[in-house]
Amino acid sequence: YILSGHTHMNYFVELENGVIEHNCVAVAGSSWYTESAFGHNMSSDGLPAGYSVYTIDKGELCWYYKPVGMPVEEGQFRVYDMNVVPEEFAEGLPENSVLLNVFNYDPSWKIRVKEGGVELDVQRIWAKDPLYALGVKGHSFSKKGAFRANYNSHMFVVQARTATSELEISVTDRFGCTYEKTLSRPGKFGLDMPLGNR
């Protein structure tokens, strides 16, 4: 198990021979730049500033993500109703799609989204976090590698049937901890939206 850092992004790679690398985001997010840009620190892949907590009990290694200033259960993912996200931040996603950023995702996580009791297909995609992209837009530092909005692999998209349906979202980590949110649509997009799944 390899811990790495200094990229201002979170990512997880599990190789076939059982070697795991977990790159942990900087606790300052994209340093002090995002604090001055839009009032709170985020990393370039959209995570609220935070840190990973690791525990070892009877030889078993466990971990979770702890956002700064937010309870663990409220800071594991963010959801976007893409119908209200401006086109420049929408990654070309189709109408009625919903985007999830699951901050500490690894392939053992389970992501479920239901619309009217019907489970929707969840697709993992390579995308940028729209809120971070909005927050750094127009700032000179946004062209710098560690601070610009970066594509990442912990983004997921679902296609809802209508623009106003309510979605029930749950994500479960590899240790069985489940985090939930009900998304009422149309949703909200802007610098005052919650950083996590509140």
Side-chain angles (χ1 to χ4, degrees):
Y1 192 90
I2 301 166
L3 292 177
S4 58
H6 199 67
T7 66
H8 299 266
M9 293 179 67
N10 231 30
Y11 68 79
F12 182 98
V13 178
E14 188 165 6
L15 305 176
E16 289 182 7
N17 61 2
V19 175
I20 291 173
E21 180 185 2
H22 200 172
N23 187 89
C24 302
V25 67
V27 72
S30 288
S31 198
W32 53 90
Y33 292 103
T34 52
E35 175 69 29
S36 62
F38 54 110
H40 41 67
N41 285 347
M42 293 174 68
S43 64
S44 58
D45 57 349
L47 275 72
Y51 50 90
S52 295
V53 177
Y54 292 84
T55 61
I56 299 175
D57 183 22
K58 298 176 183 173
E60 293 294 319
L61 179 66
C62 297
W63 58 86
Y64 61 89
Y65 187 68
K66 172 61 177 78
V68 173
M70 193 185 309
V72 170
E73 62 273 10
E74 294 181 358
Q76 299 304 308
F77 66 95
R78 187 179 310 117
V79 184
Y80 298 99
D81 178 357
M82 298 308 288
N83 285 345
V84 300
V85 174
E87 182 61 34
E88 64 182 306
F89 308 117
E91 298 285 337
L93 294 173
E95 188 176 359
N96 296 336
S97 58
V98 174
L99 185 70
L100 289 83
N101 187 344
V102 183
F103 304 143
N104 208 27
Y105 175 82
D106 71 55
S108 295
W109 284 54
K110 295 177 177 60
I111 302 168
R112 302 181 70 188
V113 180
K114 291 184 178 181
E115 180 184 27
V118 177
E119 193 154 344
L120 303 178
D121 184 42
V122 179
Q123 302 272 332
R124 188 178 181 190
I125 64 170
W126 189 248
K128 296 177 183 178
D129 183 87
L131 182 61
Y132 183 86
L134 172 66
V136 299
K137 180 186 175 185
H139 291 272
S140 59
F141 65 79
S142 66
K143 303 282 191 260
K144 298 178 182 179
F147 308 118
R148 68 173 179 259
N150 285 307
Y151 285 95
N152 71 80
S153 61
H154 45 80
M155 306 293 283
F156 299 84
V157 67
V158 298
Q159 186 69 44
R161 293 191 304 270
T162 73
T164 58
S165 56
E166 190 173 80
L167 300 184
E168 299 292 334
I169 300 159
S170 69
V171 298
T172 303
D173 70 13
R174 64 165 50 211
F175 307 111
C177 298
T178 297
Y179 310 98
E180 299 176 324
K181 176 181 178 68
T182 299
L183 176 66
S184 298
R185 300 166 61 238
K188 179 179 181 181
F189 180 71
L191 298 181
D192 59 342
M193 72 181 293
L195 290 185
N197 50 294
R198 300 183 245 195

